[in-house]
Amino acid sequence: MATVHRIHNFSAGPAVLPVPVLDEIQRDLLSLPGVGMSILEISHRSAAFERILAEAEESIRTLAGISSDYKVLFLQGGASLQFLMVPMNLLTAGATADYIDCGSWAEKAIKEAKKVGAVNVAASTKAENYSRLPKQEELKLTPGAAYVHMTSNNTIEGTAYKTLPSVGDVPLVSDTSSNMFSRPIDVSKHALIYAGAQKNMGPAGVTVVIVRQDMLQRSQKSLGTMLNYAVHAENGSMYNTPPAFAVYALGLVMKWLIGQGGLSAMATANERKAGKLYGEIDRTGFYRGTADKNDRSLMNVTFRLATEELEKQFIKESTAAGLDGLKGHRSVGGMRASIYNAFPEEGVDALVAFMKEFERVRG
Ligand code: PMP
């Protein structure tokens, strides 16, 4: 166990990592067992790193039950580069891509896709500050669309899909950056899933892309090499130097997840943690949850107080009390508690106790 003092880290990402993982990284940082060099120094072509990469992929496959129909890629450039790579690879000439505009990150994905080809915004809740998800009956889907793009968890607004939208035979693409592996995921219902690692999977620097193999046929040879999924798939994510440390740390987090009992166990823990926070938010009306109750995220819990003055005070006092990172995204204000997989339940209890006391004094 770490002997240093750690505060409660509610950051939306990069975010809290499991302490046993940090301990292992620290222990092995000078020399990986049996290697005699650190992960920061070894060649990505070494047998040691090949094993680390293969194990990270294997753990991901085990956790999510991913079949051999899918490739698992480790890329760079963040989820933001996927906003562009998805349409560059999958939006074939003459076709239209459908996008569900359900949050600020979805809006950014749409902006990039429009640079590549025809985009149909199938539904948007922007006019409601993205406080809810579009309902199935609101979706105006294009028959024969190249794909439908969704965002499984809206990090800024604190909403999340409980069930996938129905899109028929059209390939479903999902940005799962902020709730990847926080609950079971039916990969077989997706054509492509992408997620930056820095919330639920590891440190910043690596983006996981899970892509159904038939999709790779759409990647044109004329694409820039580094922008081509097929190239990365053919080269086992080793076309160029991969982010070795990030992949290594991600692999350790995946093993930790398996040790915790896998995705069902994570879902149970996450429901319990979020339930405590929403329970406190709803208790008296002093706090106001900003997301529609039916669409509430288990990862990013967004709430407000009656005035901005009171919110400022809340942030100031909670920070002083060792509850870090509760300030909402600058675009929406208020508070946001991000409670990803590795966020400990004691931290949620500490925040709930702080909220009760804050209300007692200020309410
Ligand atoms: N999509 C979602 C849902 C996100 O939360 C984020 C980052 N917060 C991004 C995309 C962008 O990710 P990155 O910073 O890795 O490019």
Side-chain angles (χ1 to χ4, degrees):
M1 279 300 284
T3 49
V4 289
H5 173 64
R6 282 168 60 82
I7 60 172
H8 291 303
N9 175 7
F10 290 92
S11 168
V16 60
L17 287 165
V19 171
V21 167
L22 295 174
D23 275 341
E24 184 170 340
I25 291 171
Q26 186 182 40
R27 192 193 66 212
D28 294 346
L29 194 59
L30 283 179
S31 168
L32 286 167
V35 178
M37 297 174 280
S38 87
I39 180 63
L40 300 172
E41 303 162 300
I42 58 174
S43 163
H44 62 295
R45 304 285 171 198
S46 64
F49 183 71
E50 276 180 7
R51 196 165 55 244
I52 285 167
L53 189 98
E55 281 181 16
E57 173 173 346
E58 203 41 51
S59 295
I60 287 175
R61 287 187 179 277
T62 303
L63 269 172
I66 304 175
S67 79
S68 58
D69 293 345
Y70 290 80
K71 289 280 188 186
V72 177
L73 309 178
F74 298 101
L75 306 183
Q76 300 185 62
S80 298
L81 182 58
Q82 295 311 307
F83 293 165
L84 191 60
M85 278 178 76
V86 164
M88 282 182 124
N89 286 269
L90 303 188
L91 182 44
T92 40
T96 297
D98 285 350
Y99 276 72
I100 305 176
D101 183 24
C102 54
S104 308
W105 291 108
E107 191 179 19
K108 289 209 165 82
I110 292 167
K111 187 172 155 218
E112 295 305 294
K114 282 182 172 166
K115 295 177 183 174
V116 178
V119 168
N120 166 48
V121 177
S124 174
T125 49
K126 185 177 166 71
E128 294 159 69
N129 297 324
Y130 298 121
S131 58
R132 67 174 183 91
L133 301 170
K135 295 188 177 30
Q136 181 71 37
E137 59 271 22
E138 293 174 292
L139 299 182
K140 294 198 172 54
L141 299 171
T142 309
Y147 58 87
V148 178
H149 181 282
M150 64 174 283
T151 315
S152 63
N153 185 88
N154 296 287
T155 326
I156 294 177
E157 295 84 9
T159 60
Y161 279 91
K162 289 194 182 68
T163 52
L164 293 175
S166 303
V167 297
D169 291 337
V170 174
L172 182 64
V173 174
S174 186
D175 173 3
T176 63
S177 292
S178 49
N179 68 349
M180 189 67 165
F181 296 156
S182 66
R183 58 182 183 183
I185 177 166
D186 188 349
V187 172
S188 72
K189 293 222 157 65
H190 300 78
L192 189 146
I193 294 167
Y194 64 91
Q198 67 271 20
K199 297 164 200 299
N200 260 331
M201 292 191 287
V206 61
T207 304
V208 173
V209 175
I210 303 169
V211 55
R212 209 172 60 213
Q213 305 232 27
D214 61 325
M215 289 293 117
L216 298 173
Q217 291 158 10
R218 296 194 191 180
S219 299
Q220 301 294 313
K221 288 219 159 40
S222 56
L223 278 175
T225 309
M226 283 294 287
L227 300 170
N228 189 318
Y229 288 135
V231 169
H232 291 294
E234 278 156 23
N235 289 278
S237 304
M238 298 266 272
Y239 174 77
N240 74 326
T241 315
F245 177 79
V247 170
Y248 159 74
L250 179 142
L252 297 183
V253 174
M254 296 301 109
K255 278 195 187 142
W256 176 80
L257 278 177
I258 292 168
Q260 295 294 301
L263 302 188
S264 307
M266 252 21 264
T268 305
N270 288 324
E271 275 162 28
R272 200 174 54 237
K273 287 190 291 179
K276 284 183 174 182
L277 260 184
Y278 285 120
E280 180 56 24
I281 288 168
D282 294 339
R283 196 170 53 84
T284 64
F286 181 70
Y287 299 100
R288 180 172 55 82
T290 54
D292 189 295
K293 280 190 183 171
N294 296 318
D295 295 333
R296 282 174 164 178
S297 163
L298 300 186
M299 299 285 99
N300 310 101
V301 177
T302 49
F303 57 101
R304 302 213 65 159
L305 281 159
T307 65
E308 285 187 11
E309 204 41 53
L310 212 47
E311 290 173 348
K312 261 195 206 130
Q313 205 57 34
F314 184 97
I315 301 297
K316 194 171 153 210
E317 290 179 24
S318 58
T319 306
L323 307 171
D324 193 72
L326 284 166
K327 198 168 188 301
H329 191 270
R330 57 191 182 283
S331 63
V332 295
M335 276 78 66
R336 170 175 56 174
S338 297
I339 48 172
Y340 300 118
N341 283 340
F343 191 88
E345 192 156 347
E346 307 90 81
V348 172
D349 294 338
L351 175 56
V352 169
F354 176 86
M355 288 168 77
K356 280 198 166 68
E357 180 60 13
F358 190 84
E359 178 174 353
R360 193 186 64 75
V361 175
R362 312 260 167 180

